[in-house]
């Protein structure tokens, strides 16, 4: 087996380092890096812009039928197009982060996303990152990693990532992470949890280099086993 056909699933809560890990693995093994969270974010932005209530499943479902979301992987990550418009930077803002967490609990929205994500990844040669990749999108992925870290560590990392330009206090970031975690883990449809055959990596006390090394070893072993 060559890396060209691999499907690597990376799941875990916000701020655990999934995006960095996915980008590093994509680079190392020549894989396409697909950030599924960006798709939920793009849909959340559509709902915000069209003033569709984030908790109204029926209204969101109607919006879904007229919304086109595209992920364009490139060297620096994913460009995200919402109805043809590049929203890559906009979807990282706090209002979209909060809205994405809310729209992603609705089963019809999840089914739509999962179907799109399967199409994007089915040819293989991908690292796909999200919350339900190993459990729902690709239950037969070749390698499944569940990347975790304590909420305090994730809050601190997010705070550093945002930098001084964003006047968000660390305590507020931690609160936001905990709220979104709770929503992710308790939703009815495909809640965030490690797949039974996922390798859980707790990065609380690991550097990103150590996390990458462990993940690379898993992939190399999988390739050698074929
Ligand atoms: O990974 P992220 O922060 O960009 O994800 C944004 C939101 O989308 C997050 O609140 C959880 C949700 N999400 C999801 O439910 N399933 C996925 N596969 C990816 C993201």
């Amino acid at each position: 087996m060559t890396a060209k056909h691999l499907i690597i699933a990376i799941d875990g809560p916000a701020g655990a380092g999934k995006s960095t890990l996915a980008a590093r693995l994509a680079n190392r093994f020549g894989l396409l890096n697909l950030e599924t969270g960006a798709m939920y974010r793009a849909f959340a932005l559509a709902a915000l812009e069209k003033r569709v209530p984030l908790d109204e499943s029926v209204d969101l479902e109607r919006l879904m039928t007229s919304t086109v979301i595209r992920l364009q992987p490139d060297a620096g990550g994913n460009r995200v197009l919402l109805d043809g418009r590049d929203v890559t930077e906009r979807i990282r803002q706090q209002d979209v982060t909060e809205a994405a967490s809310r729209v992603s609990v609705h089963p019809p929205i999840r089914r739509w996303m999962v179907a799109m994500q399967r199409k994007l990844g089915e040819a293989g040669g991908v690292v796909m990152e999200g919350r339900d990749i190993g459990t729902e999108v690709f239950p037969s992925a070749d390698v499944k990693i569940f990347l975790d870290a304590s909420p305090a560590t994730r809050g601190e990392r997010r705070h550093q990532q945002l930098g001084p330009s964003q006047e968000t206090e660390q305590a507020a970031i931690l609160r936001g992470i905990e709220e979104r975690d709770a929503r992710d883990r308790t939703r009815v449809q495909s809640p965030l949890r490690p797949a039974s055959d996922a390798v859980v990596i707790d990065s609380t006390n690991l550097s990103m280099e150590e996390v990458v090394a462990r993940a690379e070893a898993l992939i190399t072993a999988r390739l050698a086993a074929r």
Side-chain angles (χ1 to χ4, degrees):
M1 189 192 216
T2 66
K4 246 183 14 208
H5 303 293
L6 278 181
I7 297 181
I8 313 288
I10 301 181
D11 291 302
K18 299 187 300 292
S19 299
T20 310
L21 175 62
R24 294 279 298 269
L25 295 178
N27 207 15
R28 162 81 168 73
F29 293 95
L31 306 168
L32 221 52
N33 173 13
L34 299 168
E35 284 176 64
T36 60
M39 300 169 77
Y40 287 92
R41 286 171 180 270
F43 182 65
L45 177 60
L48 288 176
E49 288 181 341
K50 304 228 164 96
R51 299 184 185 284
V52 176
L54 303 173
D55 303 315
E56 293 295 335
S57 204
V58 173
D59 295 345
L60 290 171
E61 217 176 329
R62 196 172 307 120
L63 174 64
M64 175 184 100
T65 60
S66 63
T67 300
V68 180
I69 293 167
R70 294 263 175 274
L71 263 194
Q72 294 186 335
D74 68 14
N78 287 200
R79 304 304 302 175
V80 189
L81 303 184
L82 171 60
D83 297 327
R85 177 166 49 106
D86 191 328
V87 294
T88 309
E89 276 76 36
R90 175 67 182 94
I91 59 170
R92 298 292 152 194
Q93 303 281 308
Q94 186 53 38
D95 58 338
V96 179
T97 300
E98 167 66 22
S101 171
R102 290 171 58 189
V103 298
S104 66
V105 304
H106 299 286
I109 306 305
R110 299 204 68 82
R111 284 194 289 273
W112 174 53
M113 291 283 171
V114 167
M116 283 197 279
Q117 291 157 8
R118 285 186 182 146
K119 265 204 195 115
L120 283 173
E122 67 191 355
V126 295
V127 174
M128 196 173 271
E129 175 239 306
R131 304 289 190 288
D132 60 343
I133 311 305
T135 51
E136 191 70 28
V137 181
F138 287 114
S140 57
D142 299 287
V143 176
K144 298 184 188 178
I145 295 168
F146 190 90
L147 187 59
D148 211 343
S150 71
T153 302
R154 291 185 282 122
E156 197 183 308
R157 286 180 191 160
R158 204 26 72 88
H159 186 241
Q160 285 184 358
Q161 211 175 43
L162 292 174
S165 61
Q166 301 240 4
E167 288 177 6
T168 325
E169 273 181 59
Q170 192 158 338
I173 295 175
L174 180 58
R175 256 196 320 278
I177 280 186
E178 284 175 336
E179 270 169 28
R180 280 180 281 127
D181 272 5
R183 226 177 266 134
D184 277 352
R185 291 184 205 268
T186 58
R187 67 179 170 232
V188 175
Q189 176 118 3
S190 46
L192 173 66
R193 62 178 171 83
S196 57
D197 53 351
V199 174
V200 178
I201 301 179
D202 186 335
S203 72
T204 307
N205 297 307
L206 297 178
S207 68
M208 186 44 75
E209 291 310 317
E210 289 169 315
V211 171
V212 171
R214 285 190 193 192
E216 284 185 356
L218 290 172
I219 297 170
T220 306
R222 183 73 180 88
L223 286 169
R226 280 294 175 116

